Amino acid sequence: MKVSDAILSRHSMRVFHDRPVPREIIHRMLDVARYAASNGNLQPWKVYVTSGAARKRLSAAILKAIDTGEEGGPAEYDVYPRVFTEPFDQRRKKVGKDLYTLLNVPKGDAAGMAKQFKKNFEFFGAPVGMILTIDRGMGNGQWVDCGIFLDNLMLLAREEGLHTCPQAAFARYQKIVRRELHVPDNEIVLCGLAIGYADAAEVPNNLVTDRATVEDFSIFLES
Ligand SMILES: Cc1cc2nc3c(=O)[nH]c(=O)nc-3n(C[C@H](O)[C@H](O)[C@H](O)COP(=O)(O)O)c2cc1C
């Protein structure tokens, strides 16, 4: 698979088949993803790979916390900007509107939105759910490194015929994640990553997300 094919065929999937993903495949992906560049070669990422009963236990614990009002957060980093300015505010609203339109959840349907939000914690039905963490002592630069590593995983998944969904939602329930996966205090829960087989034709997997043009974000300086 060409790198560009992997990039262009990667979309966040939010419905997965329950077909298991063999551990060897996940291991192979991690074994290649670890060659991600990192400043000073710090390799600051850490991964908890859950599947089977362990994945179900994590999902159940978070869903229970949501239902009982148990405090699972807050996230230990700004998952989003504290203040949304343009064009970012519009972009976020647009993708949310497009997703909920596909799902037939009308504006203001808090219950419908909550139901979809909760699906995050079942990794949208994916058989493998990863949790990425980073050492608390790392600087902003190392978060860049983790992003590169995360993207490696998502692109390698395409090579394996798999799809993914990165999920910051797990950072919002980091206390439950920490307890269930025995994540030590010196690590910050960055995000989850759902990995599995997905049918791109399924709603909402066929959500088409916009992108700004090259001209919108690039400045070419030549003289
Ligand atoms: C770090 C990160 C965290 C994300 N967290 C969530 C999440 O918690 N739940 C979700 O449904 N999508 C999540 N997404 C997916 C984004 O909504 C998605 O990447 C964006 O809308 C672009 O769509 P695409 O991935 O299909 O290209 C996340 C993406 C990234 C990169």
Side-chain angles (χ1 to χ4, degrees), residues 117-174:
F117 178 66
K118 281 168 84 171
K119 288 184 182 170
N120 268 289
F121 303 107
E122 288 172 318
F123 294 96
F124 300 112
V128 177
M130 285 190 187
I131 297 291
L132 267 70
T133 68
I134 182 169
D135 189 279
R136 201 173 286 285
M138 296 293 105
N140 290 352
Q142 286 66 59
W143 289 65
V144 176
D145 303 339
C146 288
I148 296 171
F149 176 76
L150 175 65
D151 202 39
N152 274 0
L153 282 176
M154 294 193 288
L155 298 183
L156 286 161
R158 293 307 301 124
E159 190 179 292
E160 300 285 356
L162 295 162
H163 276 289
T164 54
C165 186
Q167 298 178 272
F170 283 94
R172 299 178 190 271
Y173 284 87
Q174 51 90 12

Side-chain angles (χ1 to χ4, degrees), residues 58 61-67 69-76 79 117-118 120-121 131 168-180 189:
L58 174 63
I62 298 178
L63 292 175
K64 187 174 167 209
I66 293 173
D67 288 344
E70 182 189 349
E71 204 209 319
E76 294 191 278
V79 167
F117 178 66
K118 281 168 84 171
N120 268 289
F121 303 107
I131 297 291
F170 283 94
R172 299 178 190 271
Y173 284 87
Q174 51 90 12
K175 285 188 183 160
I176 316 291
V177 174
R178 196 174 288 290
R179 186 188 70 210
E180 293 299 317
V189 174

Side-chain angles (χ1 to χ4, degrees), residues 9-21 123-128 154 157-158 160-166 194-207:
S9 67
R10 185 216 57 80
H11 303 287
S12 295
M13 295 293 170
R14 295 182 180 87
V15 179
F16 288 88
H17 300 304
D18 55 9
R19 178 179 159 197
V21 178
F123 294 96
F124 300 112
V128 177
M154 294 193 288
R158 293 307 301 124
E160 300 285 356
L162 295 162
H163 276 289
T164 54
C165 186
I195 304 176
Y197 297 97
D199 182 348
E202 273 189 65
V203 174
N205 288 350
N206 52 9
L207 171 70

Side-chain angles (χ1 to χ4, degrees), residues 6 8 32 36 50 52 58 65 71 78 92 99 105-106 120 140 142 149 154 165 180-181 213 216-217:
L8 295 173
V32 179
T50 73
L58 174 63
E71 204 209 319
D78 290 336
R92 181 187 175 218
L99 176 63
V105 177
N120 268 289
N140 290 352
Q142 286 66 59
F149 176 76
M154 294 193 288
C165 186
E180 293 299 317
L181 305 186
T213 64
D216 286 332
F217 63 85

